[in-house]
Structures are given as structure tokens and as C-alpha cells.
Amino acid sequence: DYYYDYLIVTTGPPGSAFTRENIVEATTVSYNGKPMTMSPPWTVTASYSHNFNLQNGGIIKVQLDTRYKSDYHLSWKNGQHPWNYQEACHISNFSAAYTHSNGNWTLSGYVKNIENYAEKRMYMSPGGGAGITTLGNPRTYGGVLSVNF
């Protein structure tokens, strides 16, 4: 996806209030034809889920999913490369849950971001160089015991 008819007009000295007195010279920057930021051209998701019915009446449910994203930029400024660039990546998750046959309790576990990949989510820079990069969540895992009364 690309922008079209996208212009940013700035006036006055940086940081000044937008008033008629502060208008010095209008500067127009066109972003026409630039790819959308924080938007990979391709995202592909695949998932698998299955319920295993056990002889005792219990159920084990497993789920696996993965998401692939092609590379993309977090901003348009070439001087911010490589900080504003997110390479192609994939992130996978897995969960499993056992539900007792009487339905009174369930034990489940999960792992998110199995690859433990640090995906760049946002980049901000006050100037042309290094700035602040926000990363996605690292690998997380846990378990839950649910009891119904």
C-alpha cells in the first residue's frame, strides 16, 4: 500500500505556535508514492487447532499459530536507517488445555513468541539519527488452573 495525495505543510519556526504572525514561509513535503509506515506489504497467518477427545471423557485442546510479516519501514527518513527498518520475521504461539470430563476444572498452558524475536513496533527520533525504538513482547509463557464450583 502506498500513499497518494498526502502532503504535509509546515509553517513558521519549529516549535512555534500556529498563528498568522508566525507564518514565515510555508514548506510543503509530498509523501505521494511512499509506502505506508509500520505496514508490511505482506502478512501471512497460519494456524492449527485440534480437540483430542480422551477415553475418560476429558478433552485436550491444542492450538499453534504463526504470523509472517515482510520487511517494512517505521518512518520514511533514510537517515534513520537501520533503526527505522524492520526486517521480515515470523512469530509463533502455542497453547494447550486439558478439561476434565466433569467440566469442573481446566489446566492450560501457553507460550507466546516462541522464537523470542524482538520485533520493532515503533520508532521516534527528534533528529535524523538514533531515537527511541519500541519492541514487541519477548517470549512469554504461563499456565492457568480454572476451577468451577
Side-chain angles (χ1 to χ4, degrees):
D1 290 329
Y2 293 88
Y3 286 111
Y4 60 93
D5 294 334
Y6 181 33
L7 302 173
I8 295 180
V9 179
T10 57
T11 58
S16 64
F18 183 73
T19 63
R20 186 165 269 183
E21 294 79 27
N22 284 340
I23 295 176
V24 177
E25 181 181 329
T27 304
T28 302
V29 178
S30 173
Y31 290 98
N32 294 341
K34 295 273 189 181
M36 291 185 180
T37 58
M38 297 182 283
S39 179
W42 290 95
T43 300
V44 179
T45 303
S47 64
Y48 172 78
S49 179
H50 187 80
N51 288 340
F52 294 94
N53 297 315
L54 304 177
Q55 288 182 352
N56 68 358
I59 299 171
I60 295 177
K61 179 179 182 177
V62 295
Q63 184 168 338
L64 175 66
D65 63 80
T66 189
R67 184 182 71 237
Y68 166 82
K69 291 182 181 181
S70 59
D71 65 327
Y72 59 97
H73 284 86
L74 302 165
S75 72
W76 297 300
K77 296 181 179 180
N78 291 332
Q80 295 176 341
H81 189 78
W83 303 286
N84 69 340
Y85 176 73
Q86 172 56 57
E87 63 204 13
C89 65
H90 72 280
I91 295 176
S92 306
N93 306 302
F94 175 79
S95 65
Y98 170 76
T99 301
H100 190 268
S101 60
N102 63 18
N104 287 344
W105 63 274
T106 301
L107 179 62
S108 60
Y110 64 89
V111 180
K112 296 182 180 182
N113 190 2
I114 295 170
E115 299 82 1
N116 198 27
Y117 184 77
E119 177 187 14
K120 294 177 187 173
R121 297 277 178 92
M122 184 180 71
Y123 177 76
M124 295 185 317
S125 172
I132 298 170
T133 301
T134 302
L135 301 175
N137 293 328
R139 178 185 304 130
T140 55
Y141 52 90
V144 177
L145 173 63
S146 302
V147 179
N148 297 323
F149 296 97

